[in-house]
Amino acid sequence: SSLITVFFVLDIVVNFRTSYINSEKGEEIFDFRAIAVHYLKTTFIIDLLAVFPFEYLIMGFINDYENAKFFNLFSLFKLGRILR
């Protein structure tokens, strides 16, 4: 689990430096500031939620294991991230 999280974090770092195609003009954007702004406006939130340690946060507030299972739904962010 922690190894996967490391790869997700590395992917976030890489995405801040990866060019993209401007859909309006059809040209590739290489400007680092424009790339960062584009990433922050598109999939950054999903990527951030995929690496956020919800299970540790939830376990700090919930002592009942059965109720904590409900919060495993947050792991769906990782699944969504992988499928993207």
Side-chain angles (χ1 to χ4, degrees):
S1 176
S2 59
L3 182 62
I4 293 171
T5 302
V6 168
F7 281 116
F8 280 139
V9 170
L10 289 174
D11 185 57
I12 288 173
V13 172
V14 168
N15 276 317
F16 272 111
R17 303 298 251 169
T18 302
S19 65
Y20 69 97
I21 303 295
N22 182 333
S23 60
E24 294 174 2
K25 298 179 182 178
E27 60 187 20
E28 190 170 9
I29 306 298
F30 293 101
D31 179 53
F32 293 127
R33 180 176 289 262
I35 292 169
V37 169
H38 179 261
Y39 179 52
L40 287 169
K41 288 181 177 180
T42 55
T43 59
F44 175 72
I45 297 298
I46 295 169
D47 295 347
L48 186 64
L49 290 174
V51 299
F52 191 80
F54 286 108
E55 56 272 1
Y56 297 121
L57 181 67
I58 300 304
M59 295 311 265
F61 292 109
I62 297 178
N63 294 329
D64 183 13
Y65 180 74
E66 291 300 318
N67 288 334
K69 286 182 180 180
F70 170 76
F71 291 101
N72 282 335
L73 292 175
F74 288 114
S75 64
L76 290 176
F77 286 119
K78 290 183 183 178
L79 178 62
R81 176 72 176 97
I82 291 171
L83 295 176
R84 181 176 64 101

